[in-house]
Amino acid sequence: MALDVSGYPAENTYMISTLSADFPDGVGQALQDVQETSAGMTIQDLVSDISKKLRKLLAVRSQGDPFDLDEGSDIQMEDGTEDEEEDEDEYPSSDDEWRVSSGGPAAATTINLSPRDAAQVNRRIRADLLAVKRAGFKIGILSGMKADSVSSLLSISVKVARLGLSDEAVQAWDLEPHQYIVLLMRYSNGYREFDTIVKEAAKSGGISFRIGVSNKYKPTLLEALAAFTDIKKGEGEGDDKSPSDPARETEKPAAGFSSLFISSSLNEFINQQFISLLKIRNSFGINWSGAKLWFNEKQSRIDNNSAELPSSYYEEETATDSNLAEILSKDHLTDSQMQQVSFPLIAAQFSLLYLVRCTQYCLVCHDKIEEEFEALKPYVCSKPLCLYQYMSLGFGPSVEHEILTQPYVVDLLVSFCYASALNRRLREYPTGMSLAVPPVTNYVTSNHVPMYAQPALASSTPAEAQKDLLVVRFDTNRHEIVFENENRCPVRTGDWVVITSFGRPAEHFRVEDISFFPTVKLSEIPVTQLGLTSQNGTFPHPGPTKAAVILATPATTPPPPSLVQANLAIYNENFDDMDDKLKAETIVLLLQTLPSIKDMKTYMLQQARYSEPNLRAWKERISPAALGLLRWIIASNRSCIVQVDKCPGQEDHEVAAAKVRLDQRIANIGPGWVQFRFAQGAPDKEQRFLNALKQEQGNFDAAHPTLFAWHGSPLPNWHSIIRSGLDFKETLHGRAYGHGVYHAMDQATSVGYAQQNPNMWQGSELKVQSAMSLNEIVNCPTKYQSSQPYLVVQHVDWIQCRYLLVQVSGAVDQYGSRTATAADAMVQQDPRYMAKSTLGKAIGVPLCAITTSRSFRPDAAETSGTPLSKKRKQSRSFDLSAEAASDSDELVDLQFLLSDDEDNQGKGKGASENDFVMLNSGPKVLAKPQTDFIPGSLDQSNLPMLDPPAYATLMATKTLNRSLKEVLEVQKKTPLHELGWYIDPNLVSNVYQWIVELHSFESTLPLAQDMKAAGVTSVVLEIRFGKEYPHSPPFVRVIRPRFLPFMAGGGGHVTAGGAMCMELLTNSGWSAVSTIESVLLQVRMAIMNLEPKPARLESRVKVQSDYHVGEAIEAYKRACAQHGWQVPPDFGDFAAPGPSRY
């Protein structure tokens, strides 16, 4: 519990307690320790600290006295001591096997079941997965999924094209129709069937989920494990930094499995609430919405099964169900044909149903958003706490990614917000983010209210703001301030302040040093707050016309002081506490301090040479408040806007690199207009538009089912339009022709309604003056509210936005100047309703803009084959043979589903009638090896094999015996090419030294190509364990081949001496609960990492030299010193081999 929210986080402290009355020993003291040091912590840091404390406590307790945090569950910890006597014989207890004595109890890697019970469980697993398969999903067995498997990984997937999403939604969500949405399920305590899951505590079943997108129907085992593992990026060796190849600055490796735009939110929701919601549904027979309502009100406590529920819990979701794709319209829990319930099928249906409907729900609390407008992109509800968590937890889009990939779209969004705030036309504000902003000392928005809006308010300087100003002396040369009347320093390092003095524009600084108070050092370069920019680009105040964006190098000799009297305002006002008028003023002020989008992109491209692009690192140029506002502007955009035109200042090579589809521009548009593809509404809005076309099919000309018309609106309205959609809630121009959305056939008419914007955001490259949209409308003018002189359409589902056109300042003829030719595929417009441009010519709309209505046009019937409506509703019969023929990679998984091995064992029978048979498969051909690695081929003659160390301890030996047993079991069950590492048991002379080979790297990696040229099939690692293991990390180094050093252009987190440069392998990043399997995974991924530079071999010669252990140890120490990582206390044991030491 936060005790001082108003002072969060700097002045806040916490009270930490637990609701459990019978918590284990040690937990209370651990929480008390965290509470005593919680002052000034953020929520994220506090939760992380508590997690680390409890994990450490669990790790220590599990060595001798393990406990179960959920005593209501019958699931035991893996390190449990129950039946310890039976387990003693499962692991080596003498030198005969591993040549080290003192084996001990360990967690079992398999579940001991009788043959009969195992056969029954295996049949149930196959039955559950067959149900998933018959429902239309693809199944991928990644590991385990047997009765005796403790840990299993399963993938369930479906093609994006089968989800019934509109083309606009697919584009807005950054998907491709050929890709697969993949749900990963991990069982960590054996397989659990539905009946067992609903009886246990919701979080006791050991089942976790991840959802993402993949180019194949199932990811590799390595990719799946990585999805459940936190991998740290950007760890290189110390100061050995050099710029990467500029050609690779924005190049990213193609990932087989990656996160969706909504993965963070959806993963959290599924893992935290799905099983609880399922238990509620099973108990009361209600739908998912009713279960969520119960969960919110009762917090999932099912205390009275017989209680009568209100009717609201049983409301059917009929509004959108009719538009769902067939694969998602069925509910397995209400299927009258089912004989037993398949938990994996329910999980898949729930996850994908929520994904498709994500725009209807808050991304944080996951409650239904009660708004009339259904967005194309998901967002949060109106609760301020949800907006704060949305921004702080990283559920929203990446500002950096959007600026790097769509800079002109971001420019457009900021320009819209600036114009809207300047004219006080914002409908919603970033309330809930607790932005620390400066006090408003001057009103500017009331001076720029256009003629259509409310009467202007008198301009004034708010008297109440004067009390927040401090009088200081400002050194304009050294950028220092001197407080003359303050007993204590009113600012802290990292704060932002505004300095105003006579004859100078307002300047914003970051506080750099307060140690010499009353003199305070500010940042070297001021951020000059630029005033209003007029159409001719001039500014109404003297001073620089552009804020500096490049840090200057401090002079060797400090400049002479130049003190002037100034007023100082601190960024210490809470934006949430302001009224709407002050909020609008503050938004204008913050946007005036932002660098241009072009400058931000340039900064990040330079930053990408050395680290992950992050605008927060530009701390002396962008204030946290301005960056928070920028992120809100981007994240709150719920429309899809895609650049299809060349923009002012954009070079031809930039257009090509951004893959701008110039062929998608509207033809015959006059100069000065820049075009964007534009789509709004929920993912199923396109389906509703299609339904409207079908309903009115008898009322329009079959040759022209739709028409195109212009909608112009003043620039200050567009910030709300792209978030709330076209509506007619407000009357700004009068409604002489009735209620509805007004359209014009002539662009010149809409130009008058769009109006010229007198002021624009000074950081804009576009310099937007006005905006309008081109909409596609169902061609039934007789049913409109009015059809002369304007088209007034009262049915919002009859309107689909297709293009957004913005008029820019200083544009030349190249912008928007496409001319239609006979070869262009353009829409045939209705001659009675011909949309024209300002040139007086009929516009040419590309056919790509009418994917929905095109199927109704006669000219498309010959080329489209099957109407789109029929394609969406086509039923799909389940045929295993056809499925296998269409995707050969699925053969192994289908054989798993259709095998009955446990029924045929020892019975002398041939193949069962359910065995999978490929028709017309021809003679059997041996499969091509999927890796060039050959186990056991390693040359052992010069490996540094060591004797058992004298410092071996009982605890370390037991843990290592157990770990080696586990990884060998994983290695036995997993295909070599998927696992990527190999341990030869014959090379384990003692459990304190392992020789591991990494192999089967992706062939496109530069490292793999170097290895192939050198005739090398594996990277040989040595892992040494100390006496403090598992509380101290192992030492991991490369033996051979030698890698290209970082200073020479190499990468892969391998130091110049061969040691791995990873925080995970130091005391700073190591956790006692880390497994060797996860260590091998992360080491392999670090070597494969292309950032900041890819790993390369030092030489491609056939004979490779080895690293020596001495150089590896020294390189490891250097890396730790340069990064500030802690060297393990027992690391000295690895320094020199001998009878008692390495």
Side-chain angles (χ1 to χ4, degrees):
M1 177 184 295
L3 301 180
D4 186 5
V5 178
S6 62
Y8 176 88
E11 301 175 4
N12 178 55
T13 56
Y14 298 89
M15 182 177 70
I16 307 173
S17 61
T18 175
L19 296 178
S20 303
D22 52 350
F23 53 84
D25 296 338
V27 171
Q29 184 59 46
L31 297 179
Q32 181 66 28
D33 293 343
V34 176
Q35 178 176 307
E36 292 175 356
T37 59
S38 66
M41 281 189 177
T42 63
I43 294 293
Q44 298 94 320
D45 291 341
L46 179 68
V47 173
S48 176
D49 203 16
I50 293 174
S51 175
K52 289 179 180 178
K53 288 280 188 182
L54 294 181
R55 284 171 59 189
K56 184 174 181 180
L57 181 65
L58 284 168
V60 173
R61 290 291 303 269
S62 65
Q63 298 299 324
D65 182 23
F67 57 83
D68 189 354
L69 290 178
D70 184 2
E71 294 189 359
S73 168
D74 59 357
I75 305 298
Q76 291 184 337
M77 297 286 288
E78 289 189 354
D79 286 331
T81 56
E82 190 173 314
D83 298 328
E84 183 173 336
E85 293 78 5
E86 293 182 14
D87 294 337
E88 285 287 348
D89 294 334
E90 294 184 13
Y91 303 97
S93 58
S94 67
D95 294 348
D96 295 339
E97 188 169 354
W98 304 124
R99 303 181 186 177
V100 174
S101 59
S102 306
T109 57
T110 60
I111 300 174
N112 293 324
L113 295 172
S114 67
R116 180 177 179 181
D117 291 340
Q120 182 177 354
V121 174
N122 282 331
R123 280 193 292 268
R124 180 56 189 265
I125 293 174
R126 282 197 306 276
D128 285 351
L129 299 189
L130 274 171
V132 179
K133 187 69 182 171
R134 292 193 175 102
F137 298 93
K138 286 184 177 291
I139 290 291
I141 309 299
L142 301 175
S143 70
M145 298 307 294
K146 295 288 187 180
D148 62 350
S149 301
V150 173
S151 179
S152 299
L153 267 173
L154 167 71
S155 72
I156 303 174
S157 61
V158 63
K159 265 194 175 179
V160 171
R162 298 189 59 205
L163 295 179
L165 299 173
S166 66
D167 293 340
E168 289 77 13
V170 171
Q171 188 173 41
W173 295 0
D174 198 19
L175 299 173
E176 296 291 342
H178 67 271
Q179 291 180 315
Y180 290 86
I181 301 297
V182 181
L183 173 68
L184 295 175
M185 298 178 61
R186 181 173 68 177
Y187 295 84
S188 56
N189 292 319
Y191 186 76
R192 291 288 191 273
E193 62 183 37
F194 173 80
D195 294 334
T196 303
I197 291 171
V198 295
K199 292 177 183 177
E200 293 178 335
K203 297 183 180 179
S204 65
I207 306 175
S208 50
F209 307 88
R210 294 290 187 275
I211 193 165
V213 61
S214 177
N215 294 323
K216 296 183 178 180
Y217 79 95
K218 72 172 181 179
T220 65
L221 177 61
L222 182 66
E223 291 167 340
L225 290 172
F228 290 94
T229 307
D230 293 328
I231 305 296
K232 293 190 177 182
K233 299 179 180 180
E235 295 173 1
E237 185 180 0
D239 299 329
D240 300 340
K241 293 183 178 181
S242 62
S244 60
D245 182 1
R248 292 185 56 256
E249 285 177 350
T250 58
E251 181 181 342
K252 298 294 180 183
F257 179 85
S258 58
S259 296
L260 288 161
F261 72 104
I262 195 181
S263 284
S264 297
S265 172
L266 190 50
N267 287 336
E268 186 267 345
F269 179 46
I270 298 174
N271 284 286
Q272 295 296 324
Q273 297 187 25
F274 164 59
I275 294 181
S276 296
L277 298 178
L278 177 60
K279 289 162 64 70
I280 296 170
R281 284 202 65 187
N282 184 65
S283 296
F284 296 103
I286 54 183
N287 58 24
W288 291 117
S289 296
K292 186 65 169 70
L293 184 60
W294 172 278
F295 182 90
N296 291 344
E297 294 181 355
K298 306 290 185 179
Q299 287 299 303
S300 77
R301 292 190 294 272
I302 306 176
D303 48 9
N304 187 357
N305 289 19
S306 61
E308 184 175 349
L309 299 180
S311 58
S312 59
Y313 285 77
Y314 295 92
E315 290 182 358
E316 295 295 330
E317 299 175 328
T318 57
T320 57
D321 284 351
S322 60
N323 295 325
L324 284 175
E326 182 182 0
I327 195 172
L328 300 177
S329 60
K330 297 178 181 178
D331 187 348
H332 184 53
L333 276 178
T334 60
D335 186 359
S336 60
Q337 303 295 324
M338 69 173 178
Q339 297 180 349
Q340 56 188 16
V341 181
S342 168
F343 176 76
L345 176 54
I346 298 174
Q349 289 179 337
F350 174 84
S351 304
L352 293 173
L353 187 63
Y354 186 89
L355 171 65
V356 171
R357 292 177 171 175
C358 64
T359 59
Q360 302 177 28
Y361 300 97
C362 173
L363 283 175
V364 175
C365 69
H366 307 288
D367 290 343
K368 195 153 188 174
I369 297 177
E370 300 298 333
E371 293 185 6
E372 295 180 9
F373 175 67
E374 296 178 358
L376 192 59
K377 295 180 180 179
Y379 193 49
V380 293
C381 62
S382 57
K383 290 180 282 213
L385 182 59
C386 287
L387 178 61
Y388 173 79
Q389 292 179 325
Y390 174 73
M391 295 299 183
S392 61
L393 297 179
F395 287 163
S398 164
V399 173
E400 292 78 8
H401 174 76
E402 295 296 322
I403 292 176
L404 287 171
T405 57
Q406 300 189 91
Y408 290 95
V409 174
V410 177
D411 188 315
L412 187 66
L413 296 177
V414 177
S415 297
F416 283 168
C417 182
Y418 184 81
S420 189
L422 194 61
N423 294 279
R424 298 184 188 168
R425 295 291 300 156
L426 290 172
R427 292 184 181 180
E428 55 185 26
Y429 298 88
T431 304
M433 296 176 62
S434 297
L435 298 176
V437 299
V440 175
T441 59
N442 185 39
Y443 291 138
V444 296
T445 59
S446 59
N447 294 330
H448 306 281
V449 180
M451 57 185 177
Y452 66 86
Q454 300 299 321
L457 299 174
S459 175
S460 63
T461 299
E464 62 273 13
Q466 299 302 317
K467 62 181 177 62
D468 296 320
L469 300 179
L470 300 175
V471 178
V472 297
R473 295 186 67 79
F474 175 48
D475 189 330
T476 58
N477 288 338
R478 298 184 179 183
H479 292 160
E480 296 176 346
I481 52 176
V482 180
F483 291 94
E484 297 181 336
N485 302 316
E486 303 294 330
N487 295 325
R488 54 181 298 182
C489 187
V491 296
R492 296 171 298 182
T493 300
D495 282 349
W496 276 73
V497 297
V498 188
I499 304 290
T500 53
S501 58
F502 180 76
R504 297 172 62 90
E507 295 177 314
H508 298 242
F509 293 88
R510 183 180 185 271
V511 177
E512 297 291 342
D513 188 3
I514 64 171
S515 58
F516 297 100
F517 178 79
T519 299
V520 172
K521 180 65 178 174
L522 305 178
S523 49
E524 290 292 336
I525 302 296
V527 176
T528 304
Q529 179 186 334
L530 301 182
L532 303 177
T533 309
S534 62
Q535 294 182 27
N536 60 13
T538 61
F539 300 94
H541 59 70
T545 59
K546 190 173 184 181
V549 297
I550 302 175
L551 280 177
T553 303
T556 304
T557 303
S562 177
L563 294 173
V564 299
Q565 183 170 326
N567 291 328
L568 179 142
I570 307 172
Y571 278 53
N572 59 4
E573 297 287 320
N574 190 338
F575 182 88
D576 297 351
D577 297 336
M578 295 179 167
D579 58 29
D580 288 353
K581 177 181 176 181
L582 292 179
K583 286 178 179 178
E585 296 284 349
T586 301
I587 289 175
V588 171
L589 181 150
L590 292 177
L591 292 182
Q592 288 176 350
T593 67
L594 270 181
S596 69
I597 305 300
K598 183 179 181 180
D599 288 337
M600 285 189 269
K601 181 178 179 180
T602 301
Y603 171 81
M604 287 188 290
L605 286 177
Q606 295 173 350
Q607 187 184 34
R609 296 171 178 264
Y610 306 101
S611 61
E612 195 76 19
N614 187 351
L615 283 176
R616 290 181 180 175
W618 207 3
K619 56 186 179 182
E620 72 282 355
R621 178 61 185 88
I622 306 177
S623 68
L627 184 58
L629 175 61
L630 176 62
R631 185 175 183 191
W632 173 77
I633 292 172
I634 295 174
S636 62
N637 169 39
R638 283 161 274 182
S639 299
C640 178
I641 304 175
V642 179
Q643 179 188 348
V644 293
D645 208 347
K646 185 177 179 181
C647 293
Q650 192 173 24
E651 301 293 337
D652 290 339
H653 69 87
E654 293 177 319
V655 175
K659 299 180 180 179
V660 176
R661 295 290 304 274
L662 298 177
D663 60 316
Q664 294 187 2
R665 291 179 298 172
I666 307 169
N668 298 330
I669 297 295
W673 293 90
V674 174
Q675 304 180 30
F676 297 84
R677 287 289 302 274
F678 182 43
Q680 288 190 303
D684 65 343
K685 189 175 187 301
E686 195 75 40
Q687 181 67 37
R688 297 202 294 267
F689 183 65
L690 173 66
N691 292 340
L693 284 170
K694 291 194 292 187
Q695 291 172 3
E696 302 298 328
Q697 194 164 5
N699 299 321
F700 55 66
D701 180 1
H704 308 101
T706 60
L707 56 83
F708 289 87
W710 302 97
H711 175 78
S713 188
L715 197 64
N717 292 344
W718 282 97
H719 176 84
S720 296
I721 290 175
I722 63 176
R723 285 157 177 80
S724 304
L726 293 173
D727 57 46
F728 38 94
K729 296 177 181 178
E730 297 178 301
T731 303
L732 300 179
H733 303 283
R735 290 184 181 170
Y737 301 98
H739 294 285
V741 180
Y742 280 63
H743 294 83
M745 303 309 302
D746 193 334
Q747 185 184 11
T749 303
S750 294
V751 167
Y753 282 90
Q755 302 179 4
Q756 287 282 324
N757 180 46
N759 298 287
M760 60 192 71
W761 178 50
Q762 84 284 351
S764 175
E765 294 291 327
L766 293 174
K767 295 181 173 56
V768 181
Q769 296 179 344
S770 63
M772 66 179 61
S773 65
L774 180 69
N775 302 336
E776 184 180 13
I777 311 171
V778 176
N779 191 2
C780 292
T782 58
K783 293 193 173 185
Y784 298 166
Q785 187 74 25
S786 175
S787 59
Q788 288 294 336
Y790 307 109
L791 303 182
V792 182
V793 185
Q794 71 277 29
H795 305 297
V796 177
D797 284 345
W798 286 22
I799 306 170
Q800 283 292 82
C801 297
R802 297 305 184 193
Y803 284 88
L804 177 64
L805 276 70
V806 294
Q807 189 175 20
V808 298
S809 175
V812 294
D813 290 348
Q814 61 178 327
Y815 307 110
S817 59
R818 181 186 183 190
T819 302
T821 64
D824 293 328
M826 297 292 179
V827 177
Q828 296 297 321
Q829 293 197 65
D830 188 339
R832 299 171 299 168
Y833 298 93
M834 189 77 71
K836 297 180 180 180
S837 68
T838 54
L839 301 176
K841 299 179 181 179
I843 63 172
V845 181
L847 283 174
C848 64
I850 59 164
T851 53
T852 299
S853 62
R854 186 179 179 185
S855 61
F856 289 85
R857 297 175 181 268
D859 57 344
E862 299 177 1
T863 57
S864 61
T866 306
L868 182 61
S869 58
K870 293 185 179 179
K871 287 181 180 179
R872 293 192 176 205
K873 297 297 182 180
Q874 266 185 338
S875 61
R876 176 182 176 277
S877 59
F878 181 76
D879 184 348
L880 291 180
S881 297
E883 283 287 320
S886 65
D887 195 342
S888 59
D889 288 342
E890 202 173 11
L891 178 58
V892 174
D893 297 319
L894 289 174
Q895 287 175 328
F896 174 89
L897 293 175
L898 298 175
S899 65
D900 282 319
D901 294 340
E902 63 277 359
D903 291 338
N904 297 326
Q905 290 177 356
K907 296 183 181 181
K909 292 184 178 181
S912 71
E913 61 182 6
N914 290 327
D915 282 349
F916 181 82
V917 178
M918 286 293 293
L919 300 178
N920 301 322
S921 58
K924 185 174 182 180
V925 179
L926 292 177
K928 180 181 178 181
Q930 295 181 280
T931 177
D932 58 357
F933 174 73
I934 303 176
S937 62
L938 179 63
D939 181 9
Q940 309 172 19
S941 60
N942 54 356
L943 290 177
M945 306 309 296
L946 303 174
D947 295 328
Y951 62 70
T953 63
L954 178 63
M955 182 182 72
T957 302
K958 286 183 176 181
T959 304
L960 288 170
N961 276 326
R962 179 173 66 228
S963 298
L964 186 58
K965 184 79 172 180
E966 290 173 351
V967 296
L968 291 178
E969 189 68 25
V970 171
Q971 179 176 283
K972 179 181 177 182
K973 295 182 177 181
T974 309
L976 273 176
H977 68 280
E978 291 188 7
L979 192 59
W981 50 262
Y982 176 74
I983 300 174
D984 188 345
N986 296 322
L987 295 181
V988 184
S989 59
N990 73 82
V991 291
Y992 287 84
Q993 182 197 32
W994 297 8
I995 302 297
V996 182
E997 294 179 84
L998 303 182
H999 58 82
S1000 304
F1001 294 102
E1002 177 64 39
S1003 60
T1004 58
L1005 289 175
L1007 174 62
Q1009 296 166 5
D1010 287 352
M1011 291 173 63
K1012 185 175 182 180
V1016 176
T1017 60
S1018 67
V1019 175
V1020 183
L1021 304 180
E1022 180 190 18
I1023 305 180
R1024 298 187 180 187
F1025 300 90
K1027 59 189 175 186
E1028 299 296 331
Y1029 184 80
H1031 300 293
S1032 184
F1035 175 47
V1036 182
R1037 74 179 184 96
V1038 177
I1039 297 178
R1040 68 175 77 111
R1042 295 186 76 94
F1043 283 67
L1044 188 66
F1046 196 87
M1047 284 290 289
H1053 302 261
V1054 179
T1055 64
M1060 294 304 301
C1061 181
M1062 300 173 64
E1063 186 179 8
L1064 169 72
L1065 301 176
T1066 69
N1067 260 29
S1068 302
W1070 178 254
S1071 171
V1073 297
S1074 297
T1075 65
I1076 299 303
E1077 183 183 355
S1078 68
V1079 170
L1080 292 176
L1081 167 68
Q1082 295 187 60
V1083 168
R1084 190 172 191 273
M1085 294 190 67
I1087 291 178
M1088 294 169 58
N1089 191 3
L1090 298 179
E1091 301 296 336
K1093 290 177 288 187
R1096 303 298 299 263
L1097 294 190
E1098 188 175 56
S1099 172
R1100 289 190 172 194
V1101 298
K1102 298 297 182 181
V1103 179
Q1104 295 282 330
S1105 59
D1106 293 358
Y1107 289 104
H1108 299 292
V1109 66
E1111 61 178 325
I1113 288 175
E1114 292 304 315
Y1116 176 87
K1117 292 179 179 178
R1118 287 197 307 271
C1120 289
Q1122 290 163 352
H1123 286 289
W1125 298 335
Q1126 185 179 357
V1127 176
D1130 59 348
F1131 186 74
D1133 292 333
F1134 304 142
S1140 61
R1141 301 177 68 198
Y1142 272 5

